C-alpha cells in the first residue's frame, strides 16, 4: 500500500466544516470521524505512522469549528483508540482501529435515534414549541413525536444572520408538522402571544456545571422563557459534554465574517458577529440525552463516567 500523508479527504472535510457545508455539532463530529477513519484505511499498516498522521489530521479538524466540543471530543477519542493495542502487529492493529472508529461513528449516529425516542415522549399533545436555529437532534425529536401521532405546532426563529431557521422550517413542514417562522426578535412576544408551552433547542457544548452553548440568541430566548415560566429544554448527545470544562477550560466562541451581518457596511462602522452564546444552567429545565432525561446538575457525573479515558 502507498504511504500517504494526511489525506486530502481530511482537508476537504476541514473545508466543508469551516465553510458550513457541514454544520450542526453532531454532523461535524460524525464527518470528522469518518475522515479520520478514511485516513487510517489509506495508510500503510504502520502503527507509529498512523498515530502521527491521525494527530496531524485531528489538529486540523479541531481548528475547523472552535465552539462545538463534539469535534475535539471525537478526535481525542480516536487518538485514544489509536494509542491502544500498539502491541498488535501492523495489519491487525490497523484493522482493529478501523473497526473501533466505525463502531464509534455508529454510536454517534445511534445516539440521535435514541434521543429522538426519549425526546418524543417529552412532547405533549397540542404543545406549542419554540425552537431556535437548526438542530438535527431537535428535528429528529419532533419528527419522531409526529410519527407517533402527536399533534403539536412549532414556532421557528429565522436565526440571523445565516437563517438556519429556514432549514428547520422546511424540514418540519415537509414532514407535515405545522410551523410558523418568526424573526428572532419576535421570540419573546411569541412566547406570550402564542402561548408557547416549551422551548426546545440543541447545543454545541454543555459544560460540567450544566451551562449550555448554542446558537447566538439562545440565552436571550432562555431568559424570556424564564420570564414567562416556560420550560427551556435542551436536546444534546453526551458527546457534546465538555470534559475540558472540569479543568475550568472554556470554549472559544466563534466569530464569523462581518459580511454575514451586512455585506456592504457603512464606512467606519464596526460589526460584531459572535455565532454562539452561553445559557446559564439555572435557566435550563432539563436536558434530553441518549442516556435519558437529566437536570443540568447531572452533567458533571456523566462527564466523569463517560470521559474517564481522557481524565
Ligand atoms: C448550529 C447550532 C445547533 C447545534 C446543535 O449552529 O447551533 O443548534 O449545533 O445541532 P451552526 P445538532 O449552524 O452554526 O452549525 O443538534 O444538529 O448537533
Amino acid at each position: 500500500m502507498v504511504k500517504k500523508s494526511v489525506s486530502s479527504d481530511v482537508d476537504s472535510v476541514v473545508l466543508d466544516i469551516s465553510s458550513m457545508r457541514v454544520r450542526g455539532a453532531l454532523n461535524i463530529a460524525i464527518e470528522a470521524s469518518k475522515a479520520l477513519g478514511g485516513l487510517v484505511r489509506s495508510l500503510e499498516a504502520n502503527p507509529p505512522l498512523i498515530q502521527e498522521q491521525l494527530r496531524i489530521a485531528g489538529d486540523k479538524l479541531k481548528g475547523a469549528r472552535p465552539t462545538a466540543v463534539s469535534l475535539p471530543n471525537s478526535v481525542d477519542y480516536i487518538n485514544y483508540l489509536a494509542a491502544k493495542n500498539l502491541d498488535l502487529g501492523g495489519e491487525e492493529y490497523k484493522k482493529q482501529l478501523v473497526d473501533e472508529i466505525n463502531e464509534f461513528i455508529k454510536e454517534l449516529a445511534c445516539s440521535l435515534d435514541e434521543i429522538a425516542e426519549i425526546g418524543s415522549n417529552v412532547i405533549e399533545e397540542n404543545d406549542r414549541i419554540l425552537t431556535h436555529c437548526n438542530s438535527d437532534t431537535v428535528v429528529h425529536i419532533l419528527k419522531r413525536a409526529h410519527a407517533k401521532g402527536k399533534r403539536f405546532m412549532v414556532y421557528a426563529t429565522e436565526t440571523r444572520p445565516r437563517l438556519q431557521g429556514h432549514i428547520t422550517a422546511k424540514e418540519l413542514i415537509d414532514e407535515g408538522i405545522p410551523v410558523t417562522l418568526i424573526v428572532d426578535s419576535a421570540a419573546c412576544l411569541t412566547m406570550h402571544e402564542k402561548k408557547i408551552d416549551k422551548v426546545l433547542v440543541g447545543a454545541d457544548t454543555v459544560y460540567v456545571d450544566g451551562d449550555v452553548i448554542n446558537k447566538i440568541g439562545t440565552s436571550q430566548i432562555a431568559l424570556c422563557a424564564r420570564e414567562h415560566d416556560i420550560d427551556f429544554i435542551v436536546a444534546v448527545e453526551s458527546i457534546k459534554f465538555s470534559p475540558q470544562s472540569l479543568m475550568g477550560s472554556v470554549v472559544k466562541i466563534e466569530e464569523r465574517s462581518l459580511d454575514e451581518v451586512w455585506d456592504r457596511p457603512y464606512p467606519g462602522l464596526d460589526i460584531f458577529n459572535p455565532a454562539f452564546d452561553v445559557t446559564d444552567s439555572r435557566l435550563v429545565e432539563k436536558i434530553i440525552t441518549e442516556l435519558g432525561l437529566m437536570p443540568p446538575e447531572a452533567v458533571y457525573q456523566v462527564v466523569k463516567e463517560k470521559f474517564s479515558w481522557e481524565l
Side-chain angles (χ1 to χ4, degrees), residues 20 23-26 65 133-137 164 202-204 214-215 240 256 276:
M20 292 189 57
R23 45 154 301 281
L26 186 67
R65 288 288 297 273
C133 196
N134 176 249
S135 154
D136 249 8
T137 315
Q164 291 94 326
D204 287 80
N214 191 49
K215 180 54 53 193
K240 299 169 184 168
R256 296 242 176 96
F276 301 93

Side-chain angles (χ1 to χ4, degrees), residues 25 53 62 69 82 94 111 123 138 149 151 168 176 196 233 246 261 270 276 294 309:
Q53 293 295 314
K62 281 183 187 182
V69 288
K94 177 172 159 177
S111 59
I123 309 298
V138 167
R151 280 163 303 174
T168 303
I196 296 296
I233 303 169
L246 259 183
V261 180
D270 278 339
F276 301 93
M294 59 182 78
W309 57 270

Side-chain angles (χ1 to χ4, degrees), residues 38-297:
L39 174 65
V40 175
R41 278 195 302 278
S42 73
L43 292 169
E44 87 181 43
N46 172 341
L49 170 82
I50 290 176
Q51 270 195 293
E52 189 205 359
Q53 293 295 314
L54 274 179
R55 194 183 41 73
I56 297 170
D59 286 348
K60 284 189 182 187
L61 286 160
K62 281 183 187 182
R65 288 288 297 273
T67 308
V69 288
S70 47
L71 179 55
N73 282 347
S74 301
V75 168
D76 290 346
Y77 184 63
I78 290 172
N79 282 333
Y80 158 77
L81 294 176
K84 286 196 317 166
N85 305 320
L86 285 169
D87 50 330
L88 295 177
E91 288 299 341
E92 214 185 327
Y93 167 87
K94 177 172 159 177
K95 181 180 175 316
Q96 169 106 353
L97 182 55
V98 168
D99 287 350
E100 287 180 345
I101 295 174
N102 285 340
E103 189 55 35
F104 173 60
I105 295 167
K106 226 189 278 169
E107 279 168 23
L108 290 178
C110 275
S111 59
L112 191 58
D113 187 60
E114 286 157 359
I115 292 189
E117 190 51 35
I118 295 167
S120 64
N121 296 327
V122 172
I123 309 298
E124 290 166 289
E125 189 67 8
N126 297 322
D127 260 353
R128 293 160 169 268
I129 300 161
L130 187 141
T131 190
H132 184 52
C133 196
N134 176 249
S135 154
D136 249 8
T137 315
V138 167
V139 168
H140 271 72
I141 288 173
L142 297 173
K143 283 185 179 174
R144 183 68 57 87
H146 179 71
K148 287 180 173 177
K150 291 188 181 177
R151 280 163 303 174
F152 56 90
M153 55 191 303
V154 177
Y155 287 82
T157 58
E158 59 176 353
T159 317
R160 282 274 297 153
R162 295 287 295 234
L163 304 177
Q164 291 94 326
H166 291 189
I167 307 172
T168 303
K170 281 192 224 159
E171 288 177 342
L172 297 179
I173 286 281
D174 287 350
E175 207 67 22
I177 300 171
V179 188
T180 304
L181 191 69
I182 58 170
V183 298
D184 300 340
S185 39
C188 202
L189 176 136
T190 303
M191 285 182 204
H192 177 67
E193 292 283 318
K194 302 295 181 186
K195 307 204 172 355
I196 296 296
D197 297 293
K198 294 179 173 73
V199 173
L200 180 59
V201 296
D204 287 80
T205 291
V206 181
Y207 290 146
V208 282
D209 63 1
D211 285 357
V212 171
I213 299 180
N214 191 49
K215 180 54 53 193
I216 189 77
T218 302
S219 63
Q220 285 169 225
I221 291 175
L223 281 165
C224 287
R226 173 56 54 91
E227 183 67 21
H228 293 297
D229 209 13
I230 294 167
D231 283 354
F232 179 86
I233 303 169
V234 179
V236 59
E237 301 75 14
S238 56
I239 190 73
K240 299 169 184 168
F241 289 0
S242 165
Q244 304 84 352
S245 65
L246 259 183
M247 276 73 80
S249 169
V250 292
V251 296
K252 181 174 181 299
I253 299 287
E254 186 179 349
E255 282 181 41
R256 296 242 176 96
S257 163
L258 309 185
D259 304 353
E260 288 185 350
V261 180
W262 194 357
D263 54 359
R264 276 176 299 160
Y266 201 72
L269 177 73
D270 278 339
I271 294 177
F272 176 45
N273 185 23
F276 301 93
D277 65 19
V278 186
T279 298
D280 192 292
S281 61
R282 286 169 299 181
L283 300 173
V284 178
E285 172 65 23
K286 54 177 158 274
I287 299 183
I288 307 171
T289 76
E290 78 281 11
L291 308 168
L293 294 179
M294 59 182 78
E297 302 82 53

